[in-house]
Amino acid sequence: MNMRPIQVFLKDMRTLATKRMLLLSFLGVALLPMLYSSILIDGSMDPYGQTSKLPVAVVNLDKGADYEGKTMNVGGDFVEELKKSDNFKWDFVSEEKAKEGMEHNDYYMTITVPSNFSENAATLTQENPVQAELIFEPNSQYNFVAGQIGNSAMKELRSKLNTQITEAYTRSMFEQVGTISDGLGQAGEGATELKDGAGKLENGLATLKDNLNKLASGTTELSGGVSKLYDGASSLNQGTGQLSSGATGLADGLSQLSAAEQQLQDGANQSKAGASQLADGLKASKAGADDLKQGLTAASAASGQVADGAEQVAQGLEQLIAATPELQENEALKQLLAASKQVAAGSAQLQAGQEQLLAGSGKLAQGQEQLYAGATELSKGQEKLASGLNVFGGKLKEAGAGAQQLAVGAEAANSGAAQLKDGLSKLSGGVAGIADGSKQLDQGAGQLKDGSQQLVNGSGELATKLNDAAADTGNIKDGDDIVNMFAEPVVVKENADHKLDRYGLGIAPYFLSLALFMGALVYTTVFSVRESYTLGASPMGRFVSRTLTYASISLLQSLIADAVLLYGLKIEVTSVPLFVLFTILTSLAYTFIIQALVTWLDNPGRFLVVLLMIFQLTSSAGTFPLELLPDWMQKLNPWLPMTHAITGFKTLIASGDYSLMREQMLILGSFAVIFLALTFLYFKRQSSKPAEPVLPAA
């Protein structure tokens, strides 16, 4: 009579309870996932929180440097910061001791600050900056993970060091900005003074232009008068030439008169009328010569004043250019200075001509005096000649002497008239040059006045801009907050909503899934998957007994493991009931998969289970992200049960995404149902002959 399947299971459990070794094996297998997962998770719970125990050698060879007149010792500052830090067990040693410690595995890594570290750091503001190098030497052959931890720590240390260096540069920059602000303020004051001086210059140039305009007008009128004077001098020269010729002829005639008194008497009668006319003409000529001398005297004095004024204008412009460096490159002012010098030279020539003309007019006046005296005597002689020929003979010699004097005076008058003509010619050229120069001088003064107006406007705008720049740079703040902002403008604020604070929590889903899988595999090596302890059990009884036994051990494994993780290791989960339920489902899925493979294939099935575990260790993305795995592993990943178990545990430990968890439960449940059906199919195919009981070891 066949026993019911549930009775086979109950009898097998009673047999198991009565056999001490079987019971100990049962309990040992039940504890295996708990031991495996708890030890692995506890050992890797917070390795990064224990880095202060890792010995690290620090070698400081930095010699320091000068930057902006101050001593910079970045290496020393870096060492002081490390002494305040407990990231690692810092050991500040010499280069030789650090090398020896690395060779004997006394240090997990060495940090060396080179001798030129500060020197290179101080080149940031130079034309060709050199990066400062910090030498990091991990002892990866001693422990690779420690080297990787050191790499991460060095990134943080480098960031802090960059911030310190940038802060030093920023403080120096703000000091330079303050100096620039003071300099701009002083430049603004100087530009304001320049504007005031330019305003005074503009007023002086306006006055200069008015006076130069008057000078130009006066020299134009003077040029016209000198032209008329030159024409009169030409006529005078012609008249004196004729006078000189006539006087010579008179002397010759008197000589002939001595030989022929009769002819002389006739000529004397005629000469009496001519002598009267000659006396009148010489009297008028004498008066004109006096007037000419007085006019030339006045003209000479006026030309002297013009020459002195032109010389003073030229000297004043030269002093103005020498006193004002900004005007030395002004082309208009240079032209004005050249024109003023030309006027001064022309005025000097004019004065020289005036002096020559005055000298000639003196000689002319002297000759006129002599001529007039001779003409008077001639007139008297004529009177006497007319009154009686008797007196004429006695006086003829006196007349001859007077004629000789007349000839000499006429010659002198002719010479003075020629000199007067030459002087007036030079005077005319000088006056024309003065007129042209005064016009150019007037034009240059106008351009200079326009330039001075632009100088006033430009200096005013320059003063405004400099004062504004000084105010703007003076408003720049250089407090610690501003310096810190420049040194570290971006601060990363971490959002911890999706962060696990301990490494063990992140690796727990992987370790727990692996522990449950290992527990199910080990159970199949201890207890038979095909036979029962009950004699005569049917295939269906054996199926139910084996399945319920495996389910019981899975349940026990899950509860023990969860209890230790939740209350021993204090792992926090989003929901304890769901965490326990998911653990049980995962364990059952693993158990039914392994049960089916071993039931059908026995030891080859166990080999397949080990092979499946190997694939799951690498392809389930329990440690490295899925995207970092080889392509064939990424394709295999969705078909592995551990992939979905790890994903579900992650949602319960960290994210709390219950919808994703339910999807994983559905997939794991599908694995469990499919492989449980395969196990059922195996026992269904067995013959109805009862199997022999498996006798457990005593």
Side-chain angles (χ1 to χ4, degrees):
M1 181 178 180
N2 292 332
M3 300 177 63
R4 293 180 179 181
I6 192 64
Q7 292 177 339
V8 175
F9 167 69
L10 293 175
K11 189 172 181 180
D12 284 344
M13 288 294 101
R14 285 195 296 270
T15 303
L16 180 62
T18 58
K19 302 298 183 179
R20 181 182 299 176
M21 293 303 299
L22 288 177
L23 183 60
L24 290 176
S25 298
F26 184 87
L27 295 176
V29 172
L31 294 174
L32 183 62
M34 178 273 297
L35 295 174
Y36 193 86
S37 61
S38 61
I39 292 174
L40 287 178
I41 293 174
D42 188 45
S44 59
M45 179 59 70
D46 191 18
Y48 292 99
Q50 308 296 322
T51 57
S52 60
K53 300 177 181 179
L54 293 178
V56 176
V58 179
V59 180
N60 181 22
L61 304 177
D62 189 17
K63 298 180 180 179
D66 291 333
Y67 179 74
E68 298 294 340
K70 297 180 180 179
T71 301
M72 173 184 286
N73 194 331
V74 184
D77 296 339
F78 177 60
V79 169
E80 292 300 322
E81 288 296 325
L82 292 183
K83 291 180 179 179
K84 300 175 184 178
S85 170
D86 58 353
N87 292 341
F88 294 94
K89 184 180 179 181
W90 308 111
D91 193 2
F92 303 96
V93 296
S94 63
E95 187 175 13
E96 293 76 13
K97 188 174 181 180
K99 183 177 181 181
E100 181 181 355
M102 292 286 284
E103 292 176 353
H104 293 85
N105 293 328
D106 294 331
Y107 300 119
Y108 286 94
M109 53 187 158
T110 297
I111 300 174
T112 303
V113 183
S115 59
N116 60 351
F117 191 75
S118 295
E119 180 180 353
N120 291 339
T123 63
L124 179 62
T125 56
Q126 298 180 4
E127 182 177 358
N128 297 312
V130 180
Q131 286 184 321
E133 295 181 352
L134 196 65
I135 302 175
F136 169 65
E137 183 183 359
N139 196 357
S140 299
Q141 62 182 9
Y142 182 34
N143 189 288
F144 180 78
V145 175
Q148 296 303 108
I149 294 175
N151 283 327
S152 300
M154 280 304 301
K155 293 179 181 179
E156 181 180 355
L157 293 175
R158 182 183 63 182
S159 177
K160 291 182 178 179
L161 196 59
N162 288 337
T163 300
Q164 292 176 354
I165 296 174
T166 305
E167 181 177 348
Y169 292 144
T170 304
R171 292 189 184 277
S172 176
M173 180 192 70
F174 276 125
E175 291 177 359
Q176 296 300 323
V177 169
T179 303
I180 292 173
S181 178
D182 295 338
L184 289 174
Q186 295 176 359
E189 294 176 358
T192 302
E193 295 177 358
L194 177 62
K195 178 183 177 183
D196 296 338
K200 296 178 181 179
L201 175 63
E202 182 183 13
N203 295 333
L205 290 175
T207 304
L208 176 62
K209 187 178 184 306
D210 293 339
N211 293 330
L212 289 175
N213 191 16
K214 296 178 181 179
L215 176 62
S217 300
T219 51
T220 302
E221 295 177 358
L222 178 61
S223 178
V226 170
S227 297
K228 294 179 180 180
L229 183 60
Y230 177 77
D231 295 337
S234 297
S235 300
L236 177 62
N237 186 33
Q238 293 177 359
T240 54
Q242 295 175 358
L243 178 62
S244 177
S245 299
T248 302
L250 177 60
D252 293 339
L254 289 174
S255 297
Q256 295 176 4
L257 184 61
S258 298
E261 291 183 4
Q262 187 62 42
Q263 293 178 359
L264 178 60
Q265 185 177 4
D266 294 339
N269 292 330
Q270 295 176 358
S271 177
K272 180 179 180 181
S276 298
Q277 293 177 357
L278 177 61
D280 294 336
L282 289 175
K283 184 177 182 180
S285 177
K286 180 177 179 296
D290 293 335
D291 294 337
L292 175 62
K293 181 178 181 181
Q294 292 176 359
L296 290 175
T297 301
S300 177
S303 62
Q305 293 177 356
V306 170
D308 294 338
E311 182 66 20
Q312 290 177 0
V313 170
Q315 292 178 358
L317 288 175
E318 287 182 342
Q319 292 175 359
L320 175 62
I321 292 176
T324 310
E326 293 82 356
L327 301 179
Q328 292 179 1
E329 301 300 326
N330 192 309
E331 295 297 329
L333 191 58
K334 290 181 179 180
Q335 295 177 1
L336 179 61
L337 178 59
S340 64
K341 289 183 178 180
Q342 185 176 1
V343 171
S347 298
Q349 294 177 359
L350 175 61
Q351 186 179 6
Q354 289 281 10
E355 290 177 355
Q356 293 178 358
L357 185 60
L358 181 59
S361 66
K363 293 181 180 180
L364 177 62
Q366 183 180 0
Q368 288 286 359
E369 286 289 337
Q370 295 175 357
L371 183 61
Y372 179 73
T376 302
E377 293 178 357
L378 177 62
S379 178
K380 292 178 180 180
Q382 289 295 333
E383 287 289 336
K384 293 177 180 180
L385 180 61
S387 63
L389 290 174
N390 293 327
V391 180
F392 176 74
K395 300 295 182 181
L396 185 59
K397 293 183 179 179
E398 296 178 0
Q404 290 294 330
Q405 292 178 355
L406 177 61
V408 174
E411 182 66 26
N414 185 36
S415 177
Q419 293 179 356
L420 176 62
K421 181 181 177 182
D422 293 339
L424 288 174
S425 178
K426 295 180 179 179
L427 178 62
S428 178
V431 169
I434 291 175
D436 294 338
S438 61
K439 290 180 181 179
Q440 295 178 3
L441 194 60
D442 183 55
Q443 294 176 356
Q447 295 176 357
L448 183 60
K449 184 177 181 298
D450 295 338
S452 65
Q453 179 62 42
Q454 295 177 357
L455 178 62
V456 172
N457 297 334
S459 59
E461 183 177 358
L462 175 63
T464 301
K465 297 297 184 182
L466 288 174
N467 290 327
D468 292 342
D472 292 340
T473 53
N475 291 331
I476 296 178
K477 308 300 181 183
D478 58 352
D480 292 339
D481 294 339
I482 301 297
V483 172
N484 293 335
M485 182 61 184
F486 271 86
E488 194 174 7
V490 178
V491 177
V492 178
K493 183 179 181 181
E494 184 178 13
N495 187 345
D497 293 344
H498 302 280
K499 178 184 178 181
L500 296 175
D501 57 353
R502 289 178 293 175
Y503 178 79
L505 296 179
I507 203 69
Y510 176 71
F511 285 156
L512 180 57
S513 298
L514 181 61
L516 294 174
F517 192 90
M518 286 294 298
L521 175 59
V522 171
Y523 187 73
T524 63
T525 63
V526 177
F527 299 97
S528 174
V529 296
R530 296 177 179 176
E531 305 300 332
S532 170
Y533 299 121
T534 302
L535 183 63
S538 64
M540 187 56 62
R542 285 184 279 123
F543 166 72
V544 172
S545 176
R546 295 297 90 189
T547 300
L548 291 178
T549 301
Y550 279 177
S552 299
I553 193 64
S554 296
L555 177 61
L556 191 57
Q557 287 176 344
S558 301
L559 294 176
I560 295 174
D562 286 348
V564 174
L565 294 179
L566 293 174
Y567 303 106
L569 299 182
K570 307 292 184 181
I571 293 180
E572 297 181 357
V573 296
T574 58
S575 173
V576 173
L578 290 177
F579 181 76
V580 174
L581 178 61
F582 191 84
T583 304
I584 294 173
L585 178 60
T586 300
S587 181
L588 288 175
Y590 291 162
T591 297
F592 292 153
I593 292 171
I594 295 172
Q595 181 188 8
L597 293 175
V598 177
T599 298
W600 277 91
L601 302 175
D602 197 25
N603 284 332
R606 290 186 178 89
F607 174 76
L608 290 179
V609 171
V610 173
L611 188 62
L612 175 61
M613 183 181 68
I614 293 173
F615 280 118
Q616 290 185 137
L617 289 175
T618 57
S619 304
S620 60
T623 53
F624 297 104
L626 176 64
E627 291 76 10
L628 301 182
L629 300 178
D631 291 339
W632 67 270
M633 289 187 181
Q634 295 184 32
K635 295 177 181 179
L636 183 63
N637 175 270
W639 303 98
L640 301 175
M642 190 177 290
T643 297
H644 305 285
I646 292 173
T647 302
F649 281 124
K650 287 180 179 180
T651 62
L652 290 166
I653 293 176
S655 68
D657 187 356
Y658 295 144
S659 61
L660 179 61
M661 181 205 64
R662 287 191 291 269
E663 292 179 6
Q664 310 313 311
M665 292 181 68
L666 180 61
I667 296 173
L668 290 174
S670 299
F671 273 110
V673 171
I674 292 172
F675 281 92
L676 182 61
L678 290 175
T679 303
F680 174 79
L681 181 61
Y682 172 84
F683 284 101
K684 188 71 175 176
R685 294 178 58 186
Q686 297 300 311
S687 64
S688 57
K689 181 180 179 181
E692 295 294 330
V694 177
L695 299 177

